[in-house]
Amino acid sequence: MNGADILCETLLANGIDTCFANPGTSEMHFVAALDRQPRMRCVLGLFEGVVTGAADGYARMADKPAATLLHLGPGLANGLANLHNARRARTPMINVVGDHATGHLIHDAPLTSDIDSLARPMSHWVGRAETAQTVGAECEAAIRAARSGAGGIATLILHADAAWTETPFVQPIPVSLPELAGPDAALVARAAAALRNGRQTTLLISGHALRDRQLDLLDRIAQKAGARLLAQQANGRMQRGAGRVALDRVPYVIDQALACFATTEQLILIGAKAPVGFFAYPGKSGSMLPPSCEVIELASPDHDLTAIINALADAVGTAPAARLAARHRPDLPTGKLTPDAIAIALAGAMPDNAIICDESVTSGRDFFRSTYGAAPHDFLQLTGGAIGMGIPLATGAAVACPDRKVIGLQADGSGMYTVQGLWTQARERLDVLTIIFANRRYQILHGELLNVGAGPAGETARRMLDLEDPALDWVMMARSMGVEAARAESAEGFRDVLHSALARKGPFLIEAVI
């Protein structure tokens, strides 16, 4: 075998059987090795941001990494924005980035670059396979880094000659992973004492604490202690809907977030970070907490959150039952199509076990309000603020869960960053419904212009923030990539096309003109 074959065998021995790819010349021997591996599913993305975003969506739903295949430094650079989002979500991922043959580097060919420096800011681990003999060990190190703790981004740089050189083969075995850190008795006792002292306390949670069973127990703890349970603002995956805890998130808007914590005296963190503003605003605090608020970090994302939540329940006690949302189908709106009308229609029509991938930005901020009682679903969202995540995220989630309907809530401006993902959905016959919130502007930036005190948009600012002249035609774009599409301009029209789209398998796009 050659080094590329060994890389494939090592990935497969560790259950990594999906590769999202956009390869080039330096990766051709790895492509040939993948061609010899029917157990490895290879999915082509037409832009590297689609590749990295899809690997993120896949891992969030599969609870295991996918591999990506990227072409040299520029290919990696094209995928960095969605690697940033994946890093913030603590998504496990293994990036295989090709590099020139070691002997070719001295020539400083046009595509030569400092791949290590490009990779480090968005990676938890960076390594190089410079010879065929080291490929297996480096791949194992990458897998270990990706699957340790809550998960991490591992970037393995594979030289072309390391891939093509033949070397003796030893059948790889699964990598041994370190155990997650368990409960700290002193911290559990401190958190339990805080929950009993009568002060206003918030349990702020994220990560695996947002899964159904953990949420159920946390809500019973919060009831027993008279505390508030809240999710951090941006989370990789949350299980919600009817029969599950009706959980709120920290608001995005800074004034709302400050008001949310104005009377909080104690904050207990379980897999979450203390809340801060997305940006700095003149005259406003960067921290959302009162200066006197005591913060107790009971568990970081890399801890065994299930064991720690169980230990806290033993120390504090629990209410007999969690407060679960009841199935609710609100009355359907009529007339003008608005973000609220879209959310209400989804609340009534969403199938059981759907996966919601949310990059609706401003248009979807009130989505939770209408969907606590929707059918049970998983909610995936933009985590790092780098737009262009939504379409790829939905693509990867659909690859991971082919038996579940994936619904993407997509702002039109950010959707243009990675619109190529629609082509991948068509090629792979993925069951994804994409809903475009077509307000034909970067609405969030109109708001931020006011929030930072820069005033309303004038003519020049509007030309930088609006998406008109010409207006985008999402129906034509989707159809050009093989995705069936329709436009809705009223609440009734949206409801009709939504029911039609949900009744069929395969990719479909609704341009919702709001």
Side-chain angles (χ1 to χ4, degrees), residues 49-368:
V50 173
V51 169
T52 53
D56 185 1
Y58 174 93
R60 293 196 204 186
M61 292 309 303
D63 282 328
K64 68 175 185 177
T68 71
L69 177 56
L70 305 170
H71 183 41
L72 296 164
L76 172 64
N78 281 340
L80 284 179
N82 278 336
L83 285 182
H84 165 78
N85 290 321
R87 188 175 187 274
R88 286 290 180 174
R90 294 304 303 272
T91 297
M93 189 187 306
I94 298 166
N95 302 307
V96 178
V97 182
D99 199 357
H100 292 300
T102 52
H104 195 65
L105 291 173
I106 61 171
H107 300 299
D108 191 27
L111 277 168
T112 303
S113 64
D114 186 350
I115 301 175
D116 301 73
S117 293
L118 288 169
R120 282 194 186 98
M122 309 306 182
S123 303
H124 296 89
W125 178 93
V126 179
R128 273 185 180 270
E130 295 183 323
T131 67
Q133 291 77 19
T134 61
V135 167
E138 289 295 327
C139 184
E140 289 177 353
I143 293 166
R144 191 173 294 109
R147 304 202 72 165
S148 294
I153 308 298
T155 300
L156 173 60
I157 303 165
L158 177 67
H159 286 274
D161 50 340
W164 75 50
T165 300
E166 292 186 359
T167 187
F169 174 66
V170 177
Q171 181 64 46
I173 60 174
V175 171
S176 60
L177 301 175
E179 291 188 5
L180 297 173
D184 180 312
L187 271 177
V188 171
R190 182 184 172 195
L195 287 167
R196 288 193 292 261
N197 66 17
R199 301 172 70 192
Q200 293 202 34
T201 303
T202 295
L203 288 161
L204 189 64
I205 64 175
S206 190
H208 276 263
L210 295 174
R211 303 294 176 92
D212 189 16
R213 293 179 62 184
Q214 287 80 0
L215 275 174
D216 188 286
L217 186 54
L218 281 164
D219 185 74
R220 292 164 57 203
I221 294 170
Q223 285 186 70
K224 180 72 172 181
R228 177 176 61 169
L229 182 64
L230 198 63
Q232 71 178 23
Q233 202 284 319
N235 306 279
R237 179 180 174 187
M238 179 188 300
Q239 294 187 317
R240 60 187 307 272
R244 293 171 173 168
V245 173
L247 188 68
D248 281 321
R249 297 175 295 169
V250 175
Y252 170 87
V253 178
I254 188 167
D255 290 335
Q256 296 174 10
L258 288 167
C260 177
F261 289 101
T263 60
T264 301
E265 297 174 285
Q266 299 174 134
L267 184 73
I268 299 174
L269 302 175
I270 302 177
K273 294 181 64 176
V276 298
F278 243 76
F279 302 101
Y281 298 93
K284 296 180 181 179
S285 172
S287 169
M288 302 298 97
L289 301 175
S292 60
C293 180
E294 180 186 3
V295 178
I296 302 170
E297 186 178 12
L298 178 58
S300 79
D302 290 320
H303 283 85
D304 185 340
L305 300 188
T306 299
I308 290 168
I309 293 166
N310 288 336
L312 186 63
D314 291 341
V316 175
T318 62
R323 296 163 291 189
L324 306 180
R327 185 70 175 99
H328 176 59
R329 290 180 172 87
D331 294 335
L332 294 175
T334 58
K336 184 179 180 181
L337 184 57
T338 65
D340 277 349
I342 293 171
I344 291 168
L346 278 171
M350 187 190 307
D352 286 351
N353 295 317
I355 301 167
I356 304 295
C357 296
D358 182 22
E359 195 185 31
S360 54
V361 196
T362 49
S363 297
R365 284 183 184 159
D366 291 330
F367 177 79
F368 272 30

